[in-house]
Amino acid sequence: MTGRYEISDNQWQLIEDIVSPAQSMGRPRKDDRQMLNGIFWALCSGAKWRDLPERYGPWSTVYARSRQWRDDGTFEAVLSRLQLRLREDGLMDLETWMIDSTAVRATRASAGGGKKGGSEEPLDHALGRSRGGITTKIHLICDRLGWPIAFTLSAGQESDTRYFMPTLEKVHLPGSLGRPRKRCRYIMADKGYDSDELRRYCDHVRIKPVIAQRKMKRKPRPGLPRGFDKPMYRQRNIVERSFSWLKEFRRIATRHEKLARSFYAMVCVACIRRCLRADFSYRT
């Protein structure tokens, strides 16, 4: 029997070879499953690493393991594996996707990253000042069923349109056969993404945008007018629900990490936790 924050036996079998590869030499590692359960506990509770319960082992070891998995891409590999299983089990919609963003309030402890993080870390650490104070934005693409597909981070004051294309370019859904899936048939977004440039980009990559238009005067353009599928647009609330599911994890509802890549890793762990809720067919 597993605890509230812990991974079940069936779930562990899906990702064990990625999280806990065979060790041929060196000092035996602490139990990887125990370490992962500790990370899940920190994600769900929002508590400090030093407050980690003793059943997960030394807090410093769990924290070090989370940094290792952040840096070597383990979290992203696990999420990719789960997305593959969602595709194989027919649980993911590959035709209709939606994109939106949400602002996450950052605590005072998240400031002061300075020049830490190396060349891959953004200079602003994805922290900016908006109406909500010091915030970070999560730009998320999910499918019609709410499964996370790709996401990016930005400072809180950045516009949604600026991160539409970078987020869509991050999509890389593996499949058992053929090339990874990078495009959908329809993409839904709210009025914040109403831009002629984004619509031209969608035309270029052969995606039909279902984007609400702002109420403003527009310069007439040649060609046929763009249609707006209002019944389909009503499904866009799924992405809002996806953010609600992710923000059930207190480490996502409020940002505590100084580095953007550390918070990115936590969002990735939250997406992993979300995908583990799927009703997989646990075939061998």
Side-chain angles (χ1 to χ4, degrees), residues 225-240:
R226 289 183 177 271
F228 177 63
D229 194 333
K230 195 170 183 179
M232 176 178 285
Y233 182 75
R234 291 194 183 101
Q235 303 176 24
R236 200 196 61 83
N237 67 89
I238 299 294
V239 69
E240 303 288 354

Side-chain angles (χ1 to χ4, degrees), residues 15-64:
I15 61 176
E16 180 179 6
D17 59 321
I18 300 175
V19 177
S20 185
Q23 185 178 1
S24 59
M25 61 180 64
R27 188 172 60 182
R29 292 159 54 95
K30 292 284 186 180
D31 184 13
D32 289 302
R33 182 172 177 177
Q34 183 184 22
M35 298 293 104
L36 183 61
N37 287 332
I39 295 170
F40 283 156
W41 183 90
L43 170 74
C44 297
S45 67
K48 296 180 179 179
W49 289 105
R50 292 177 182 271
D51 297 332
L52 201 71
E54 294 181 359
R55 66 179 180 272
Y56 299 119
W59 73 265
S60 57
T61 305
V62 179
Y63 173 67

Side-chain angles (χ1 to χ4, degrees), residues 148-160:
I149 294 175
F151 65 91
T152 56
L153 303 180
S154 74
Q157 77 278 5
E158 296 287 354
S159 66
D160 292 346

Side-chain angles (χ1 to χ4, degrees), residues 7 18 20 30 40 49 59 87 102 157 172 181 186 212 221 243 252 259 280:
I7 190 170
I18 300 175
S20 185
K30 292 284 186 180
F40 283 156
W49 289 105
W59 73 265
R87 285 192 62 180
T102 187
Q157 77 278 5
H172 189 90
R181 184 70 176 260
Y186 302 97
R221 296 185 179 275
F243 282 129
I252 306 302
L259 300 183
F280 292 111

Side-chain angles (χ1 to χ4, degrees), residues 102-129:
T102 187
V104 176
R105 185 70 180 268
T107 63
R108 183 180 63 177
S110 63
K115 297 181 180 180
K116 298 178 181 178
S119 59
E120 297 182 359
E121 177 73 11
L123 294 177
D124 60 1
H125 303 294
L127 287 169
R129 190 170 293 278

Side-chain angles (χ1 to χ4, degrees), residues 108-169:
R108 183 180 63 177
S110 63
K115 297 181 180 180
K116 298 178 181 178
S119 59
E120 297 182 359
E121 177 73 11
L123 294 177
D124 60 1
H125 303 294
L127 287 169
R129 190 170 293 278
S130 64
R131 287 182 297 178
I134 300 177
T135 56
T136 295
K137 262 189 179 180
I138 304 174
H139 305 266
L140 175 72
I141 294 177
C142 71
D143 74 339
R144 192 172 54 84
L145 303 175
W147 301 118
I149 294 175
F151 65 91
T152 56
L153 303 180
S154 74
Q157 77 278 5
E158 296 287 354
S159 66
D160 292 346
T161 55
R162 183 178 177 184
Y163 284 84
F164 178 90
M165 288 182 276
T167 308
L168 194 58
E169 292 296 330

